[in-house]
Amino acid sequence: MTRANSPAEKLILIGLDGMSMELSLKMCREGRMPNLARLIDDGVHSHMLGVHPTLTPPGWTSLATGAWPGTHEVTDFYIREPGSSLSRTRFGVNSELCKAEFLWNAAERGGKFPILLKWEISWPPRMTKGIQVEGGGPAATNYHAIASYHLFTLDDLPLVTQIELQPAEGWSNTPDSAEPPKETELAFTYFRHGHLDRTGVPARDAGATIPTVLHALVIASGDDGYDRVIVSRTKDASNPVADLGLREWSDWFEDDFRIKGETVAGTLRLKLLKLSPRADEFELFCPQIWPTEGYTYPEAAARELLDNVGPFIQDPGYMALVVGVIDDETYLELMEYHHQWLARAAAYLSSAYDWGLMLVQVHTPDYFGHSFFNKADPIGGSTGEELERGQRAVYETCESVDRMIGKLMEVGGPNTVVAICADHGGTADPETRVVVEEVLARYGLLRFVEDERTGLKSIDYASSKAVPVGQVNVFVNLEGREPDGIVPQAEYEQVRLQIMDALMDFKDETTGRRPFSIVLKREDAEIVGLKGELVGDVVFALHPEFDHVHGKQLPSARLGWGGQHSVFVMAGPGVRRGVELQSITRHVDVAPTCAHLIGIPPPADCEGAVIYEALEEPDWYLTRIRQLERERDRWKAAYEADHGLLHTR
């Protein structure tokens, strides 16, 4: 044992959202994640069982508290709000919903300084002594962004900013151009694709936003037509914020935005995606605009990181990728910046502060899960260019993540444990996805109402006996419990059995298979860590072939390249070397094991256990107690001997 008090002085926990152990081992075997492979060889690894449902909020919260979702109560993205209509839920990306103590609070109690870098479901901050950077959810659920992205284009398309290129007028210091210069205005406004704040409502009112306007000048620097764009705050080409050729990025720069009567400073950069020689095609992209303050604890840490590490982005272009406004290459470039920023921030904070616990999280494996995995995994059915495209994105993401892991492995030094974990895994979805509402409707338990204008269907709560809420819960629309309940109390159990029979009886017409893997009463859902009034009267899970990537599958599911077993790897002082754990490793075991290794108390509401099979010396604290007892006995004997000599004199 290298330290007097615990096997390790520090621990860094790296979270990879959506990264299964199944895929991790495949990437290591193929040489695409050499740093992760080195950690596996130098430490322990396991196919870790996560929580149900296999989702971001319950997964990361259980990893950080050691408590099951039924205890910490962050059970879903959309959580039942008792006493309200079944149509109303609370948004689960909110640390204030958590009823259990976090590992970083236990570290504070134990005298360790914690650092959190983008650890999801940790905002708003609940620490008092450490440093926290962001901590909301995935790209569409951030709380702080000024804008999700901008794409300035000549085309009239959804979710972009359409512009016109006109003859340039009033510019000074214009460079030579073989074609008449053209100009346009770039109006940067509030826009958050899919954004919700932690109360589940839009965070800022777009109507109260005053656009920030920059000026763009398009020129032909040679004889091959238009090929450059100069962007400036004024029509002075000698002082640009960007001077770009095709496919080039600008440096980062700051600007001010007026939002709801307040001036908010943000950082942005630009990339020229398209510019045709005749300037009849033009695309200028700006990724997420992030504020310069307001997203850290303490607040001063934001400026400190901006000055020493560079601008932060919470979304590495995923929302722009999802809606099709950027190409894979641009997304992958932003992803690499995102990963390397986190590594640089960890290195800087590690050198600037005397820390003991660091948690770093990225969501990018889950992004390829939802965008590319079905194309990459051969069971998804893709061939040719689509298969090649999907596999390239998966491989490059894993390689980029691994480069970040390599940098983070250097942060703490030799007395630091490095652990890798995930909230869930991911699978391709080659078969039919099951819509639970439609299953319940088929059996007469739920009714839809159709909008006469749009033709869209929605749940008719006034005439439905059973309603799904969140990913894996079905609630009886019970009189006296629900404001609009229609099922009499005397019929509760009968209706609940009807729900269970419907789910177990349902057979998918395309495959001829039964999609539901388990169907449980609420009181039996304790076996998957769920309990209490936030949990459905009936809880279910789907076979992975009938789910999409993750969510409704059990945490033990496997399919194709992937599965739902979370990655778990741990190496460093006090950890055994080169061991694949044979015992069942669970999300709730991670926090107490981390605490045990660095000698801090486990989180107060922890329900997991120390993974003793992973440790070189499971009883190190008993060894330390015996050492202290021997030291006490030596001091006592020396005192008595000295006292006796003094007495005889």
Side-chain angles (χ1 to χ4, degrees):
M1 188 166 56
T2 57
R3 269 147 303 283
N5 295 320
S6 62
E9 291 179 354
K10 301 178 180 181
L11 184 142
I12 179 166
L13 183 62
I14 305 168
L16 309 179
D17 198 288
M19 193 69 181
S20 70
M21 196 68 212
E22 290 86 353
L23 183 63
S24 299
L25 291 174
K26 173 181 171 61
M27 294 296 102
C28 289
R29 287 194 300 269
E30 296 179 5
R32 300 185 185 278
M33 301 189 78
N35 291 305
L36 181 61
R38 182 153 57 95
L39 283 173
I40 289 173
D41 290 342
D42 290 345
V44 300
H45 70 282
S46 173
H47 287 71
M48 182 162 62
L49 276 178
V51 297
H52 190 63
T54 42
L55 289 175
T56 290
W60 290 120
T61 307
S62 286
L63 283 162
T65 62
W68 294 105
T71 297
H72 61 62
E73 297 190 0
V74 182
T75 57
D76 206 302
F77 268 112
Y78 297 97
I79 303 170
R80 162 127 167 84
E81 189 169 298
S84 299
S85 168
L86 290 172
S87 64
R88 182 176 175 82
T89 58
R90 292 179 291 188
F91 192 46
V93 182
N94 181 357
S95 70
E96 292 177 342
L97 298 179
C98 181
K99 300 300 188 294
E101 185 184 42
F102 290 109
L103 178 61
W104 46 91
N105 299 128
E108 290 176 319
R109 287 195 290 115
K112 299 281 189 183
F113 186 91
I115 296 173
L116 273 64
L117 289 173
K118 209 194 136 317
W119 188 271
E120 292 189 352
I121 326 300
S122 65
W123 194 273
R126 289 173 57 177
M127 62 167 52
T128 59
K129 300 175 183 176
I131 291 177
Q132 178 169 348
V133 178
E134 211 258 326
T141 55
N142 70 78
Y143 301 147
H144 304 101
I146 293 170
S148 181
Y149 64 84
H150 288 77
L151 182 72
F152 299 99
T153 177
L154 304 177
D155 301 321
D156 183 12
L157 298 170
L159 303 173
V160 303
T161 303
Q162 187 179 18
I163 58 166
E164 293 182 3
L165 290 177
Q166 300 175 336
E169 295 182 356
W171 282 80
S172 61
N173 300 308
T174 303
D176 293 338
S177 179
E179 299 288 345
K182 294 178 179 289
E183 70 170 353
T184 190
E185 287 188 347
L186 308 175
F188 295 84
T189 60
Y190 162 90
F191 173 56
R192 299 189 186 182
H193 181 90
H195 173 79
L196 297 172
D197 76 358
R198 58 189 168 86
T199 63
V201 298
R204 286 175 176 156
D205 180 5
T209 301
I210 300 173
T212 292
V213 177
L214 299 178
H215 302 275
L217 182 71
V218 180
I219 64 170
S221 64
D223 297 327
D224 296 325
Y226 292 100
D227 64 346
R228 297 200 72 79
V229 60
I230 295 170
V231 180
S232 179
R233 292 187 175 89
T234 64
K235 290 188 176 185
D236 182 353
S238 67
N239 189 27
V241 295
D243 185 352
L244 301 172
L246 189 62
R247 310 298 299 174
E248 291 179 353
W249 282 101
S250 74
D251 292 331
W252 290 94
F253 59 95
E254 289 188 32
D255 220 315
D256 291 335
F257 300 82
R258 292 289 294 173
I259 302 173
K260 298 185 75 170
E262 296 182 0
T263 299
V264 180
T267 53
L268 56 163
R269 70 191 300 208
L270 305 171
K271 182 180 183 181
L272 184 60
L273 296 180
K274 286 184 182 179
L275 178 57
S276 63
R278 295 189 300 171
D280 54 357
E281 291 184 0
F282 179 88
E283 287 185 1
L284 185 67
F285 176 64
C286 175
Q288 183 180 60
I289 301 176
W290 195 258
T292 59
E293 59 184 19
Y295 66 97
T296 63
Y297 176 88
E299 286 193 12
R303 175 54 67 174
E304 183 180 357
L305 286 165
L306 180 60
D307 292 342
N308 291 280
V309 181
F312 173 73
I313 52 171
Q314 175 262 2
D315 171 18
Y318 177 66
M319 297 315 301
L321 179 73
V322 166
V323 300
V325 304
I326 60 171
D327 52 38
D328 297 354
E329 177 188 342
T330 301
Y331 167 71
L332 292 169
E333 289 169 346
L334 287 166
M335 178 192 68
E336 177 71 7
Y337 175 87
H338 179 67
H339 290 156
Q340 291 302 310
W341 188 94
L342 288 168
R344 292 196 308 272
Y348 168 74
L349 293 172
S350 180
S351 64
Y353 295 90
D354 184 15
W355 62 281
L357 174 70
M358 182 182 293
L359 287 79
V360 184
Q361 190 267 2
V362 292
H363 210 95
T364 48
D366 189 58
Y367 294 154
F368 75 58
H370 289 281
S371 300
F372 298 107
F373 202 55
N374 207 47
K375 301 179 181 69
D377 190 334
I379 68 169
S382 293
T383 58
E385 291 183 1
E386 274 295 284
L387 181 67
E388 183 179 344
R389 178 195 174 208
Q391 291 186 354
R392 176 191 174 226
V394 171
Y395 294 153
E396 291 200 17
T397 301
C398 290
E399 289 164 0
S400 180
V401 166
D402 193 71
R403 286 191 289 273
M404 179 194 71
I405 290 172
K407 296 284 184 64
L408 293 173
M409 288 166 63
E410 301 171 0
V411 164
N415 297 332
T416 302
V417 169
V418 178
I420 314 285
C421 67
D423 57 337
H424 54 76
T427 60
D429 51 346
E431 297 186 15
T432 306
R433 297 182 198 168
V434 170
V435 179
V436 178
E437 289 87 344
E438 293 180 356
V439 175
L440 295 173
R442 176 181 295 193
Y443 287 84
L445 293 160
L446 180 147
R447 292 184 180 177
F448 293 108
V449 59
E450 186 173 303
D451 188 297
E452 294 181 359
R453 184 177 59 86
T454 65
L456 297 175
K457 295 190 302 182
S458 60
I459 297 174
D460 182 0
Y461 290 90
S463 59
S464 294
K465 292 182 178 181
V467 177
V469 176
Q471 288 284 312
V472 299
N473 303 289
V474 179
F475 284 88
V476 175
N477 196 9
L478 189 64
E479 282 185 355
R481 187 181 70 181
E482 320 304 342
D484 305 313
I486 64 169
V487 175
Q489 292 277 345
E491 298 178 15
Y492 169 76
E493 191 61 27
Q494 175 188 344
V495 171
R496 187 159 69 153
L497 291 174
Q498 289 174 353
I499 297 167
M500 298 178 72
D501 287 345
L503 300 185
M504 290 187 288
D505 181 66
F506 174 73
K507 185 178 289 187
D508 174 57
E509 294 176 355
T510 304
T511 63
R513 292 184 55 196
R514 300 189 190 278
F516 290 87
S517 58
I518 61 168
V519 179
L520 301 169
K521 292 183 178 182
R522 171 191 284 177
E523 54 269 31
D524 295 328
E526 288 186 2
I527 65 171
V528 291
L530 296 171
K531 64 179 181 179
E533 63 180 351
L534 303 181
V535 177
D537 298 299
V538 173
V539 174
F540 64 87
L542 291 172
H543 292 295
E545 295 88 342
F546 300 94
D547 192 19
H548 171 57
V549 185
H550 66 92
K552 297 179 175 69
Q553 306 171 42
L554 287 171
S556 55
R558 298 174 188 257
L559 183 67
W561 281 11
Q564 294 305 324
H565 287 97
S566 303
V567 61
F568 177 73
V569 179
M570 179 178 279
V575 180
R576 296 172 68 192
R577 293 174 59 89
V579 174
E580 180 176 4
L581 302 178
Q582 301 304 305
S583 58
I584 296 175
T585 306
R586 309 164 301 170
H587 272 181
V588 295
D589 301 330
V590 172
T593 304
C594 292
H596 184 83
L597 280 165
I598 57 175
I600 62 172
D605 306 284
C606 179
E607 296 169 301
V610 175
I611 308 170
Y612 289 110
E613 186 191 356
L615 307 182
E616 286 181 334
E617 189 180 358
D619 297 333
W620 68 263
Y621 59 95
L622 295 177
T623 302
R624 177 57 177 153
I625 289 172
R626 295 188 187 102
Q627 288 176 345
L628 293 172
E629 288 174 342
R630 287 194 293 270
E631 290 178 14
R632 179 202 61 193
D633 292 342
R634 284 197 298 271
W635 279 103
K636 182 180 178 182
Y639 172 79
E640 289 177 346
D642 188 49
H643 182 75
L645 288 172
L646 289 173
H647 183 73
T648 58
R649 289 174 186 169

